[in-house]
Short mmCIF file of all heavy atoms in Angstrom, two decimals:
data_model
loop_
_atom_site.label_atom_id
_atom_site.label_comp_id
_atom_site.label_asym_id
_atom_site.label_seq_id
_atom_site.Cartn_x
_atom_site.Cartn_y
_atom_site.Cartn_z
N MET H 119 -32.37 0.48 37.83
CA MET H 119 -31.60 1.53 37.00
C MET H 119 -30.51 0.72 36.20
O MET H 119 -30.41 1.00 34.99
CB MET H 119 -30.95 2.49 37.82
CG MET H 119 -31.91 3.59 38.46
SD MET H 119 -31.10 4.57 39.73
CE MET H 119 -29.99 5.53 38.64
N THR H 120 -29.81 -0.14 36.82
CA THR H 120 -28.69 -0.90 36.24
C THR H 120 -29.30 -1.73 35.02
O THR H 120 -28.72 -1.76 33.92
CB THR H 120 -28.00 -1.80 37.21
OG1 THR H 120 -27.50 -0.94 38.37
CG2 THR H 120 -26.85 -2.54 36.58
N ILE H 121 -30.38 -2.42 35.28
CA ILE H 121 -30.98 -3.20 34.28
C ILE H 121 -31.53 -2.33 33.05
O ILE H 121 -31.18 -2.68 31.94
CB ILE H 121 -32.27 -4.05 34.87
CG1 ILE H 121 -31.68 -5.06 35.85
CG2 ILE H 121 -33.04 -4.71 33.74
CD1 ILE H 121 -32.66 -5.76 36.73
N LEU H 122 -32.10 -1.22 33.36
CA LEU H 122 -32.55 -0.41 32.29
C LEU H 122 -31.42 0.08 31.40
O LEU H 122 -31.50 0.12 30.21
CB LEU H 122 -33.40 0.78 32.84
CG LEU H 122 -34.78 0.46 33.40
CD1 LEU H 122 -35.26 1.66 34.14
CD2 LEU H 122 -35.68 0.11 32.18
N LEU H 123 -30.28 0.54 32.07
CA LEU H 123 -29.16 0.91 31.35
C LEU H 123 -28.55 -0.19 30.49
O LEU H 123 -28.11 0.00 29.31
CB LEU H 123 -28.02 1.51 32.30
CG LEU H 123 -28.48 2.86 32.95
CD1 LEU H 123 -27.57 3.07 34.16
CD2 LEU H 123 -28.27 4.03 31.91
N GLN H 124 -28.51 -1.38 30.99
CA GLN H 124 -28.00 -2.52 30.33
C GLN H 124 -28.85 -2.85 29.11
O GLN H 124 -28.47 -3.33 28.03
CB GLN H 124 -27.88 -3.79 31.23
CG GLN H 124 -26.79 -3.68 32.17
CD GLN H 124 -26.79 -4.75 33.30
OE1 GLN H 124 -27.72 -5.47 33.47
NE2 GLN H 124 -25.61 -4.89 33.96
N LEU H 125 -30.14 -2.61 29.19
CA LEU H 125 -31.15 -2.81 28.15
C LEU H 125 -31.16 -1.70 27.06
O LEU H 125 -31.89 -1.67 26.13
CB LEU H 125 -32.52 -3.01 28.66
CG LEU H 125 -32.75 -4.30 29.43
CD1 LEU H 125 -34.14 -4.33 30.11
CD2 LEU H 125 -32.60 -5.58 28.50
N GLY H 126 -30.30 -0.56 27.36
CA GLY H 126 -30.13 0.47 26.34
C GLY H 126 -30.82 1.79 26.73
O GLY H 126 -30.98 2.64 25.82
N ALA H 127 -31.20 1.92 27.96
CA ALA H 127 -31.77 3.25 28.34
C ALA H 127 -30.80 4.37 28.15
O ALA H 127 -29.66 4.19 28.47
CB ALA H 127 -32.29 3.13 29.80
N ASP H 128 -31.22 5.43 27.62
CA ASP H 128 -30.34 6.65 27.33
C ASP H 128 -30.15 7.31 28.68
O ASP H 128 -31.11 7.87 29.25
CB ASP H 128 -31.01 7.53 26.34
CG ASP H 128 -30.22 8.83 26.00
OD1 ASP H 128 -29.16 8.95 26.61
OD2 ASP H 128 -30.80 9.69 25.25
N VAL H 129 -29.01 7.30 29.10
CA VAL H 129 -28.62 8.00 30.43
C VAL H 129 -28.95 9.48 30.43
O VAL H 129 -29.06 10.02 31.58
CB VAL H 129 -27.10 7.70 30.84
CG1 VAL H 129 -26.17 8.48 30.00
CG2 VAL H 129 -26.87 7.88 32.31
N ASP H 130 -28.88 10.17 29.28
CA ASP H 130 -29.16 11.52 29.22
C ASP H 130 -30.53 11.89 28.67
O ASP H 130 -30.77 13.05 28.22
CB ASP H 130 -28.12 12.22 28.29
CG ASP H 130 -26.70 12.33 28.99
OD1 ASP H 130 -26.68 12.40 30.22
OD2 ASP H 130 -25.71 12.24 28.26
N CYS H 131 -31.49 10.96 28.64
CA CYS H 131 -32.78 11.26 28.22
C CYS H 131 -33.47 12.21 29.09
O CYS H 131 -33.34 12.17 30.36
CB CYS H 131 -33.55 9.93 28.20
SG CYS H 131 -35.17 10.08 27.33
N ARG H 132 -34.19 13.16 28.52
CA ARG H 132 -34.81 14.24 29.28
C ARG H 132 -36.26 14.16 29.42
O ARG H 132 -36.95 13.57 28.57
CB ARG H 132 -34.44 15.63 28.65
CG ARG H 132 -32.99 15.95 28.61
CD ARG H 132 -32.87 17.27 27.83
NE ARG H 132 -31.40 17.65 27.70
CZ ARG H 132 -30.93 18.79 27.95
NH1 ARG H 132 -31.74 19.77 28.37
NH2 ARG H 132 -29.71 19.09 27.72
N ASN H 133 -36.83 14.72 30.53
CA ASN H 133 -38.24 14.84 30.66
C ASN H 133 -38.69 16.05 29.93
O ASN H 133 -37.91 16.81 29.27
CB ASN H 133 -38.66 14.77 32.15
CG ASN H 133 -38.29 15.99 32.92
OD1 ASN H 133 -37.77 16.95 32.41
ND2 ASN H 133 -38.52 15.96 34.24
N SER H 134 -39.99 16.43 30.01
CA SER H 134 -40.54 17.51 29.21
C SER H 134 -40.08 18.91 29.73
O SER H 134 -40.21 19.86 29.09
CB SER H 134 -42.04 17.51 29.20
OG SER H 134 -42.53 17.63 30.46
N THR H 135 -39.50 18.94 30.91
CA THR H 135 -38.91 20.15 31.50
C THR H 135 -37.44 20.21 31.34
O THR H 135 -36.83 21.19 31.80
CB THR H 135 -39.28 20.34 33.07
OG1 THR H 135 -38.67 19.25 33.79
CG2 THR H 135 -40.82 20.36 33.25
N GLY H 136 -36.85 19.25 30.65
CA GLY H 136 -35.42 19.30 30.37
C GLY H 136 -34.49 18.62 31.30
O GLY H 136 -33.34 18.63 31.13
N HIS H 137 -35.02 18.00 32.35
CA HIS H 137 -34.23 17.32 33.41
C HIS H 137 -33.90 15.94 32.98
O HIS H 137 -34.70 15.26 32.35
CB HIS H 137 -34.97 17.40 34.75
CG HIS H 137 -35.01 18.71 35.30
ND1 HIS H 137 -33.90 19.26 36.01
CD2 HIS H 137 -35.97 19.58 35.39
CE1 HIS H 137 -34.15 20.47 36.50
NE2 HIS H 137 -35.46 20.75 36.05
N THR H 138 -32.68 15.57 33.31
CA THR H 138 -32.27 14.15 33.01
C THR H 138 -32.29 13.50 34.43
O THR H 138 -32.46 14.08 35.46
CB THR H 138 -30.85 14.16 32.53
OG1 THR H 138 -29.94 14.67 33.42
CG2 THR H 138 -30.70 14.87 31.24
N ALA H 139 -32.02 12.08 34.39
CA ALA H 139 -31.97 11.43 35.72
C ALA H 139 -30.93 12.05 36.63
O ALA H 139 -31.16 12.14 37.84
CB ALA H 139 -31.67 9.97 35.46
N ILE H 140 -29.73 12.39 36.12
CA ILE H 140 -28.71 12.97 37.01
C ILE H 140 -29.17 14.30 37.56
O ILE H 140 -28.89 14.50 38.81
CB ILE H 140 -27.29 13.01 36.25
CG1 ILE H 140 -26.19 13.29 37.21
CG2 ILE H 140 -27.32 14.02 35.14
CD1 ILE H 140 -25.82 12.08 38.04
N SER H 141 -29.73 15.06 36.83
CA SER H 141 -30.19 16.43 37.42
C SER H 141 -31.31 16.23 38.36
O SER H 141 -31.35 16.98 39.38
CB SER H 141 -30.53 17.49 36.22
OG SER H 141 -31.68 17.00 35.54
N MET H 142 -32.17 15.24 38.19
CA MET H 142 -33.27 15.01 39.15
C MET H 142 -32.64 14.56 40.48
O MET H 142 -33.28 14.73 41.47
CB MET H 142 -34.21 13.98 38.53
CG MET H 142 -35.09 14.58 37.46
SD MET H 142 -36.41 13.51 36.87
CE MET H 142 -35.55 12.48 35.81
N MET H 143 -31.54 13.82 40.38
CA MET H 143 -30.86 13.33 41.63
C MET H 143 -30.39 14.35 42.52
O MET H 143 -30.13 14.20 43.75
CB MET H 143 -29.71 12.46 41.26
CG MET H 143 -30.01 11.10 40.63
SD MET H 143 -31.22 10.11 41.50
CE MET H 143 -30.46 9.98 43.07
N PHE H 144 -30.23 15.61 42.04
CA PHE H 144 -29.75 16.75 42.83
C PHE H 144 -30.92 17.59 43.32
O PHE H 144 -30.69 18.66 43.82
CB PHE H 144 -28.72 17.64 42.05
CG PHE H 144 -27.45 16.89 42.08
CD1 PHE H 144 -27.06 16.02 40.99
CD2 PHE H 144 -26.46 17.16 43.01
CE1 PHE H 144 -25.83 15.35 41.01
CE2 PHE H 144 -25.24 16.52 43.00
CZ PHE H 144 -24.97 15.60 41.96
N ALA H 145 -32.17 17.11 43.32
CA ALA H 145 -33.26 17.81 43.85
C ALA H 145 -33.09 17.56 45.35
O ALA H 145 -32.65 16.55 45.86
CB ALA H 145 -34.62 17.16 43.36
N SER H 146 -33.61 18.51 46.15
CA SER H 146 -33.45 18.43 47.63
C SER H 146 -34.06 17.16 48.20
O SER H 146 -33.45 16.52 49.09
CB SER H 146 -34.15 19.65 48.29
OG SER H 146 -33.53 20.82 47.81
N SER H 147 -35.23 16.77 47.59
CA SER H 147 -35.84 15.61 48.13
C SER H 147 -34.99 14.28 47.95
O SER H 147 -34.92 13.34 48.62
CB SER H 147 -37.23 15.39 47.49
OG SER H 147 -37.12 15.28 46.10
N GLU H 148 -34.34 14.20 46.77
CA GLU H 148 -33.38 13.17 46.50
C GLU H 148 -32.20 13.12 47.31
O GLU H 148 -31.64 12.08 47.75
CB GLU H 148 -33.07 13.07 44.96
CG GLU H 148 -34.20 12.74 44.06
CD GLU H 148 -34.97 11.44 44.41
OE1 GLU H 148 -34.25 10.50 44.66
OE2 GLU H 148 -36.17 11.49 44.51
N LEU H 149 -31.58 14.37 47.49
CA LEU H 149 -30.32 14.47 48.35
C LEU H 149 -30.61 14.09 49.79
O LEU H 149 -29.69 13.75 50.43
CB LEU H 149 -29.74 15.92 48.20
CG LEU H 149 -29.12 16.24 46.76
CD1 LEU H 149 -28.81 17.73 46.73
CD2 LEU H 149 -27.92 15.35 46.55
N ALA H 150 -31.89 14.12 50.14
CA ALA H 150 -32.21 13.76 51.57
C ALA H 150 -32.29 12.27 51.71
O ALA H 150 -32.21 11.80 52.87
CB ALA H 150 -33.48 14.40 51.95
N LYS H 151 -32.34 11.52 50.69
CA LYS H 151 -32.41 10.06 50.75
C LYS H 151 -31.11 9.39 51.04
O LYS H 151 -30.10 9.91 50.65
CB LYS H 151 -33.08 9.48 49.45
CG LYS H 151 -34.43 9.85 49.18
CD LYS H 151 -34.90 9.26 47.90
CE LYS H 151 -36.39 9.63 47.54
NZ LYS H 151 -36.77 9.13 46.30
N VAL H 152 -31.18 8.21 51.62
CA VAL H 152 -30.02 7.37 51.88
C VAL H 152 -29.67 6.63 50.57
O VAL H 152 -30.71 6.23 49.91
CB VAL H 152 -30.27 6.38 53.02
CG1 VAL H 152 -29.06 5.41 53.16
CG2 VAL H 152 -30.50 7.10 54.34
N GLY H 153 -28.44 6.52 50.23
CA GLY H 153 -28.03 5.78 49.05
C GLY H 153 -28.15 6.61 47.74
O GLY H 153 -27.89 5.97 46.63
N GLU H 154 -28.31 7.85 47.85
CA GLU H 154 -28.33 8.67 46.58
C GLU H 154 -26.99 8.72 45.89
O GLU H 154 -26.92 8.75 44.70
CB GLU H 154 -28.86 9.99 46.80
CG GLU H 154 -27.98 11.03 47.39
CD GLU H 154 -27.59 10.86 48.87
OE1 GLU H 154 -28.23 10.01 49.50
OE2 GLU H 154 -26.65 11.52 49.33
N SER H 155 -25.89 8.56 46.70
CA SER H 155 -24.59 8.57 46.06
C SER H 155 -24.29 7.40 45.18
O SER H 155 -23.71 7.57 44.10
CB SER H 155 -23.47 8.77 47.09
OG SER H 155 -23.39 7.72 47.98
N ASP H 156 -24.84 6.29 45.52
CA ASP H 156 -24.72 5.11 44.69
C ASP H 156 -25.47 5.29 43.28
O ASP H 156 -24.95 4.96 42.32
CB ASP H 156 -25.37 3.81 45.29
CG ASP H 156 -24.57 3.45 46.54
OD1 ASP H 156 -23.29 3.75 46.58
OD2 ASP H 156 -25.08 2.77 47.42
N ARG H 157 -26.70 5.84 43.32
CA ARG H 157 -27.41 6.22 42.06
C ARG H 157 -26.68 7.20 41.27
O ARG H 157 -26.59 7.06 40.05
CB ARG H 157 -28.82 6.59 42.41
CG ARG H 157 -29.62 5.42 42.99
CD ARG H 157 -31.01 5.87 43.42
NE ARG H 157 -30.93 6.63 44.72
CZ ARG H 157 -31.78 7.58 45.12
NH1 ARG H 157 -32.70 7.96 44.33
NH2 ARG H 157 -31.60 8.12 46.22
N ILE H 158 -26.15 8.25 41.85
CA ILE H 158 -25.41 9.24 41.13
C ILE H 158 -24.19 8.58 40.52
O ILE H 158 -23.89 8.87 39.36
CB ILE H 158 -25.04 10.45 42.05
CG1 ILE H 158 -26.38 11.18 42.54
CG2 ILE H 158 -24.08 11.40 41.47
CD1 ILE H 158 -26.14 12.18 43.64
N ARG H 159 -23.44 7.81 41.30
CA ARG H 159 -22.24 7.23 40.80
C ARG H 159 -22.56 6.27 39.49
O ARG H 159 -21.79 6.25 38.60
CB ARG H 159 -21.56 6.38 41.83
CG ARG H 159 -20.78 7.12 42.88
CD ARG H 159 -20.06 6.11 43.87
NE ARG H 159 -19.92 6.71 45.14
CZ ARG H 159 -19.01 7.51 45.51
NH1 ARG H 159 -18.11 7.98 44.62
NH2 ARG H 159 -18.92 8.05 46.70
N LEU H 160 -23.61 5.54 39.69
CA LEU H 160 -24.06 4.62 38.62
C LEU H 160 -24.28 5.47 37.29
O LEU H 160 -23.82 5.18 36.24
CB LEU H 160 -25.33 3.90 38.91
CG LEU H 160 -25.92 3.09 37.79
CD1 LEU H 160 -24.98 1.87 37.46
CD2 LEU H 160 -27.23 2.57 38.16
N LEU H 161 -25.09 6.52 37.44
CA LEU H 161 -25.38 7.41 36.31
C LEU H 161 -24.09 8.05 35.73
O LEU H 161 -23.97 8.06 34.49
CB LEU H 161 -26.43 8.53 36.64
CG LEU H 161 -27.74 8.01 36.97
CD1 LEU H 161 -28.66 9.16 37.67
CD2 LEU H 161 -28.48 7.41 35.75
#
Side-chain angles (χ1 to χ4, degrees):
M119 288 172 64
T120 304
I121 292 168
L122 288 169
L123 288 163
Q124 290 171 343
L125 290 172
D128 179 2
V129 74
D130 287 329
C131 190
R132 296 177 183 228
N133 68 8
S134 62
T135 59
H137 289 278
T138 63
I140 192 77
S141 66
M142 288 187 279
M143 292 305 307
F144 283 88
S146 299
S147 58
E148 292 304 315
L149 289 171
K151 292 180 180 177
V152 174
E154 80 287 349
S155 62
D156 292 335
R157 290 176 284 149
I158 292 170
R159 285 182 210 281
L160 175 68
L161 293 168

